[in-house]
Amino acid sequence: MGNRLSNNINRLGKNNMYNKRRIELILIDTAVMCLTYIILLWLSRASVNSLVVYGTFTPGKFLVLYICIMVMRFLMGIYGSIWRYANVSTYLKLMLSDMIGGLIYIVAGRIISAISIGFAYSVIAIFLILLVTLANRFLYQFLYAYAN
């Protein structure tokens, strides 16, 4: 009886630590996407003629992109992985979830023009989010390996 209680307490502690790390990872990804928004906002202010479409680049439009990508990450189980042990299939799953989420956003923008940031900005935003997220994950693995 005492041993079973001890095992349940240990399991509960591990689940809390796992959930804490999952929340931290979600917050880091949100920060990465906010950084991407700032970069894209700067790019949109540069008035690159080939990229100027669909009016202003607003936080609401980027929020829709954020939701599309995050929903796909949750549906594909990205936050169920332990990133210090990530392998190629985990990275490919992240890439696939971001591409599908981005494609959903592009299609939604074609249907509802009020949420579109234009095709060029959409592609840039999707790939920039993916690039910065992957760099963040690789940096985490590198620093974890270096520390141990």
Side-chain angles (χ1 to χ4, degrees):
M1 172 88 172
N3 193 21
R4 187 181 308 166
L5 179 63
S6 175
N7 287 340
N8 287 338
I9 290 172
N10 285 338
R11 222 178 295 137
L12 182 62
K14 287 179 184 177
N15 286 339
N16 285 339
M17 180 61 86
Y18 177 72
N19 287 332
K20 180 184 172 201
R21 287 190 179 158
R22 180 184 294 177
I23 291 169
E24 287 173 353
L25 190 57
I26 292 169
L27 291 174
I28 289 169
D29 283 351
T30 300
V32 162
M33 289 193 197
C34 289
L35 174 67
T36 304
Y37 171 74
I38 291 168
I39 293 169
L40 288 171
L41 188 62
W42 172 78
L43 181 63
S44 71
R45 299 287 188 247
S47 296
V48 178
N49 288 337
S50 64
L51 296 178
V52 177
V53 287
Y54 294 108
T56 59
F57 187 67
T58 63
K61 293 177 181 181
F62 197 77
L63 181 63
V64 175
L65 174 60
Y66 170 80
I67 290 169
C68 290
I69 288 176
M70 291 302 283
V71 165
M72 284 311 302
R73 286 182 181 183
F74 278 109
L75 289 177
M76 294 191 72
I78 297 300
Y79 296 108
S81 302
I82 300 174
W83 280 95
R84 76 176 68 142
Y85 305 117
N87 55 19
V88 172
S89 66
T90 307
Y91 289 110
L92 290 174
K93 197 161 65 167
L94 175 66
M95 292 171 63
L96 184 63
S97 71
D98 283 11
M99 292 300 119
I100 293 171
L103 184 63
I104 290 169
Y105 175 74
I106 290 171
V107 170
R110 295 287 180 177
I111 295 169
I112 307 166
S113 63
I115 64 170
S116 179
I117 58 175
F119 182 76
Y121 274 127
S122 297
V123 171
I124 290 170
I126 293 162
F127 281 105
L128 191 58
I129 288 169
L130 180 60
L131 177 70
V132 175
T133 302
L134 286 173
N136 182 34
R137 299 295 200 276
F138 285 133
L139 181 65
Y140 175 80
Q141 277 193 327
F142 174 76
L143 292 175
Y144 183 79
Y146 183 75
N148 291 328

